[in-house]
Structures are given as C-alpha cells and as structure tokens.
Amino acid sequence: MSPNLVALAYLVASVFFILALKGLSSPITARRGNLFGMVGMAIAVITTLTVTKNWALIVGCIVVGGSIGAVVAKRVQMTAMPELVAFMHSLVGLAAVFIAIAAVNNPVSFGLPAMLPMGSKLELFLGTFIGAMTWSGSVIAFLKLSGRMSGAPITFNGQHMVNLILALVMVGFGLWFFFSETTNWTAFASMAVIAFVLGFLIIVPIGGADMPVVISMLNSYSGWAAAGIGFSLGNPMLIIAGSLVGSSGAILSYIMCKAMNRPFLSVILGGFGSDGGSAVESDGKQKNHRSGSADDAAFLLGNADSVIIVPGYGLAVARAQHSVKELAEKLHEKGVSVRFAIHPVAGRMPGHMNVLLAEAEIPYEQVLEMDEINSDFSNTDVVLVLGANDVVNPAAYIAGSPIYGMPILDAHKARTVMVVKRSMAAGYAGLDNDLFYMDKTMMVFGDAKKVVENMVKAL
C-alpha cells in the first residue's frame, strides 16, 4: 500500500474514532459509537498489517490476545467492569514501556537512526515513564476495586516529599539518557524503575470512594503514553488515537473532580482520600434505624404520587435492573410518576448506572442526571434508594467530613425515604450514612433483586 493510501486509511480510521467518542456521549447512541470505534480500529489494524513484513507474527499475537480478551469479556460481570477497565489501562501502559525498550534496543527496526536523535529520546522518555506509571497505578486501582486490597488510603509521613524527590531523580536519569552520546541503558532502566514505583506511590494514598476519578485519570495517562510512543515510531494513527484517549480522559477526569469536589491538581499528584467513619455515634452509642419489609415498601410506593429511584452499586451487584423496570411499570399503571436519579459517579465508574438502565430498556426520558433532578427531591413523596450509599450521604454538607463539599443526590429532602441494602455496613468510602437513621427513612434489608421482585408481587 502506497504512503498516500496509508495516510488516507489512517485518516478514515481517525474519523471513526471521533464518531465513536461522539456516539458514547449519550446512552441512546452508545451502541452506534462502539460500532464506529470497532470499525475504526479494524481499519487501523488492517492498514498497519499492509506496511509490515511480519504480518503473520502480528496476526498470531492478535489471535492469542484477542481470544484471551474475548473469554475475559464474556465471563466478567457488569459489576466488575470498573476493575476490568483499570486492568486494561495497565496493559496499555505496559505495552508502551515494552515498545520503548524495543525501540531503544534496536532503533533501526523501527525506522529510526542507529544512534537515536535527541527528539526520539525525549519521546521515548515520555512514553516510558507515563506508561510505567500507568501500569503500576492501574494495578493498585484494580486491586482496590476488586477487593483484593483495602480501599482505605495508605499514607505515611513525608509521602509527598518522597514522591517529589523520586520524580526529580527520575527526570535526572531522563536527562542523562537524553544527553548521552550512546545508548545509556543504566539511565533508561533507572528512569523506568522509578516511574513504576511512582505509579504505586501516587495511587495507594487515594481512598476507595475516589476510584472513579482514578480510573478516568489512568485512562488519560494510557492515551498520552500511546501518543508519545506514536511520535517515536512515526505512526500518525497511534498519535491520533492516543491523543483522543488522553484528551478525553483528561476532560472526564475534570468532570469527575467537579462531581466529587476534588481539586484536579490533587488527582494528578495523588494523595487525596481519607479513612471512613463507623456506625456508632461519637459517644459510642449505637444509632437506631427503622426497618420494614418489601410489602411495607410496596404499600408506600403504591400510594405515592411521585417516586424517584436512586440506583447504586447494590443494584449492579444484584443485577436488579430488569426487576426495577418491572417495578416502575407497575407503579406507572397505578398512576405514579416514576423517575430515576443518576449521580455522575454512581457504581464506581462514570456511566455505570446509565449502562445498566439502558440494558433493561428503561426509557431515557425517565433517567435524569443529578443537576436535572436534585431540586425535585423536596417535592417528592417517596425516594427508593437501591444499594447507593456515598452518593446520597448528607455528610457531604457537614464541614470536616471526608466527603464535605461533594455534590450528592438530595434524597434526604424527600418526604419518605426507603433504602434497600444487605446490611447497615458503610459504603465504599467507609463512611456511615446519617440518612439511614432519619425518622423518615425505612431500611429494607436483603438482595436488591429479590426485594424489588417481592415489591412487584405485593403491588
């Protein structure tokens, strides 16, 4: 394939990637957006195969990797999607590091001069340290999200100073590698190792409640790592795709920071988050809560004029979205107005709840974002909270609280609140929720799917 055709094919693939991002901006067009992304990637891969002599080896690797990916994707539950995304980010970062190592070891095979020019060294330096930090940081995010590691922040005295010193030393080794007349493996390897360590140190002090921000941040890092390597390889497709991922991830990180009232710079540097509270008051006395049955909840719902349903991670764990749709339909038949309130970070990953509700084919006009519906809670008869905790925690309005200032769904302002949970355990942030102890709140304990199914039967 001629260079002009290759450039044209890469341009077409880039257009499909842009259309994919546009499609993913709304649940209505999300499937179309995914399709555009797959078509664009297929064009990019096929085009790349036409400009290499080792296509058989590449195809073999694609078959092996694709088969593993297909098996994992088929087995993974929707509730495990956040940690799967974190794991995928780690692979992108590690791939960037491996490509950089190969380019430094044998630059001629990548179309580079035998003696790497300074520009290529700079690009490889950027791609390597960003990729290394992405890998190690994503591993920590995966371990925290999957429960294999405590979600509580891990901190120690002088942590930020240690990170700063390591970052300066890493840059020093990078400059040594940059100005060396020959291939300086000592400088390159030292820089890469320090970057791996920095990735761990930046993510471990971040609490579990802030993992949605971390996921989008690591997504951005992986894109910039790929773009940096794309410059080294002279591959415009890799540059464009990496830049799209990097910039969109950065924008999403900013949106998530705003949704959680976190300083954007703190996300980049790491180290925000805090330990949670407990289920007892400051004087050590156990707080009282009111509980009821699914039948009690169904009676209140059936006699209400307006109901807002707040889906959370508990709904995802129980896969209760289809039962919730049936509940909403039953209430509509009784003349009850039913809407769904979605917090930007509900479900540990941006858009998690939107995807689940779309899967159950709940009408999009019934699904409202926090800013659209928050003012309506005070005029709502009943709010049904399904497995959500931190996103409805009134502690966000209390100065000194670890989540103080975080925008929440104002479920506590409704006339009656019903919360479906397995137990009184704290949420992912580790914080107790005063909403559960209000006089207007009734707790309904049990699996969200089974409880909702019993509500439907009672209606």
Side-chain angles (χ1 to χ4, degrees):
M1 184 180 290
S2 68
N4 288 338
L5 287 177
V6 170
L8 179 61
Y10 280 154
L11 178 61
V12 172
S14 301
V15 172
F16 274 104
F17 289 153
I18 294 171
L19 291 174
L21 288 176
K22 175 64 177 176
L24 292 173
S25 64
S26 169
I28 301 175
T29 58
R31 290 188 178 181
R32 188 192 315 157
N34 273 318
L35 179 60
F36 283 145
M38 289 186 286
V39 171
M41 184 55 68
I43 294 173
V45 171
I46 293 172
T47 302
T48 302
L49 290 177
T50 64
V51 297
T52 179
K53 297 178 181 179
N54 298 319
W55 63 269
L57 178 61
I58 295 175
V59 170
C61 292
I62 290 175
V63 170
V64 173
S67 299
I68 295 173
V71 171
V72 172
K74 188 175 182 180
R75 291 182 177 179
V76 71
Q77 297 293 324
M78 183 59 71
T79 52
M81 197 58 65
E83 52 259 45
L84 177 64
V85 172
F87 179 72
M88 293 303 179
H89 290 163
S90 73
L91 296 181
V92 175
L94 194 60
V97 174
F98 283 155
I99 293 173
I101 292 173
V104 172
N105 181 63
N106 189 1
V108 176
S109 63
F110 288 86
L112 300 172
M115 295 301 297
L116 285 170
M118 287 189 174
S120 296
K121 287 183 178 181
L122 177 61
E123 293 157 1
L124 290 171
F125 164 71
L126 293 173
T128 301
F129 93 77
I130 296 175
M133 290 176 63
T134 301
W135 179 81
S136 53
S138 297
V139 168
I140 295 297
F142 169 79
L143 293 175
K144 288 196 173 192
L145 288 166
S146 62
R148 293 173 172 84
M149 179 178 180
S150 172
I154 300 175
T155 60
F156 55 86
N157 292 332
Q159 190 165 32
H160 289 296
M161 182 57 66
V162 171
N163 290 348
L164 177 61
I165 292 172
L166 286 175
L168 292 175
V169 173
M170 180 187 70
V171 172
F173 278 115
L175 292 173
W176 186 18
F177 169 73
F178 182 74
F179 288 109
S180 297
E181 295 182 358
T182 58
T183 302
N184 191 332
W185 278 106
T186 300
F188 182 82
S190 299
M191 174 268 296
V193 170
I194 294 174
F196 279 122
V197 174
L198 265 178
F200 285 117
L201 293 178
I202 287 176
I203 302 302
V204 291
I206 300 178
D210 298 314
M211 278 299 125
V213 183
V214 174
I215 291 176
S216 59
M217 177 187 70
L218 293 171
N219 176 53
S220 179
Y221 285 177
S222 66
W224 296 126
I229 296 301
F231 279 106
S232 300
L233 304 181
N235 188 315
M237 185 70 263
L238 197 54
I239 296 172
I240 294 172
S243 298
L244 287 172
V245 173
S247 57
S248 60
I251 293 171
L252 182 58
S253 297
Y254 174 77
I255 294 173
M256 292 298 100
C257 286
K258 185 177 179 181
M260 300 183 72
N261 195 38
R262 301 297 190 186
F264 185 70
L265 185 60
S266 295
V267 181
I268 302 300
L269 298 178
F272 63 90
S274 59
D275 295 313
S278 62
V280 295
E281 295 179 303
S282 57
D283 59 2
K285 294 181 180 179
Q286 188 72 29
K287 292 188 284 188
N288 296 320
H289 63 270
R290 183 166 62 96
S291 62
S293 65
D295 289 346
D296 297 329
F299 176 80
L300 292 172
L301 290 170
N303 287 278
D305 291 324
S306 58
V307 171
I308 294 179
I309 299 176
V310 179
Y313 190 67
L315 176 142
V317 171
R319 295 193 62 79
Q321 59 268 31
H322 296 284
S323 300
V324 170
K325 180 190 177 183
E326 189 175 358
L327 174 65
E329 290 175 342
K330 289 287 185 181
L331 292 174
H332 276 299
E333 292 174 3
K334 289 180 171 290
V336 181
S337 170
V338 180
R339 292 176 296 170
F340 293 81
I342 306 295
H343 191 279
V345 294
R348 304 187 189 178
M349 188 171 71
H352 200 176
M353 291 299 102
N354 300 76
V355 172
L356 290 178
L357 298 183
E359 180 187 343
E361 298 183 348
I362 291 174
Y364 297 120
E365 60 270 15
Q366 294 179 17
V367 181
L368 302 176
E369 300 297 330
M370 178 178 65
D371 293 338
E372 299 176 290
I373 200 171
N374 238 8
S375 60
D376 293 345
F377 279 103
S378 58
N379 298 317
T380 300
D381 293 326
V382 179
V383 169
L384 176 62
V385 180
L386 296 171
N389 194 324
D390 303 319
V391 298
V392 293
N393 193 339
Y397 292 110
I398 301 175
S401 165
I403 62 170
Y404 174 63
M406 171 181 164
I408 62 167
L409 292 166
D410 291 331
H412 62 283
K413 294 182 179 180
R415 297 185 181 94
T416 301
V417 180
M418 295 186 297
V419 181
V420 177
K421 277 176 60 71
R422 292 178 181 272
S423 68
M424 292 296 292
Y428 201 59
L431 294 175
D432 195 20
N433 193 336
D434 286 338
L435 174 67
F436 303 159
Y437 307 101
M438 290 182 174
D439 293 336
K440 66 170 69 177
T441 301
M442 181 177 74
M443 304 296 297
V444 183
F445 296 110
D447 175 85
K449 183 177 181 180
K450 292 180 180 178
V451 170
V452 173
E453 287 175 346
N454 288 337
M455 289 181 186
V456 173
K457 292 178 182 178
L459 286 170

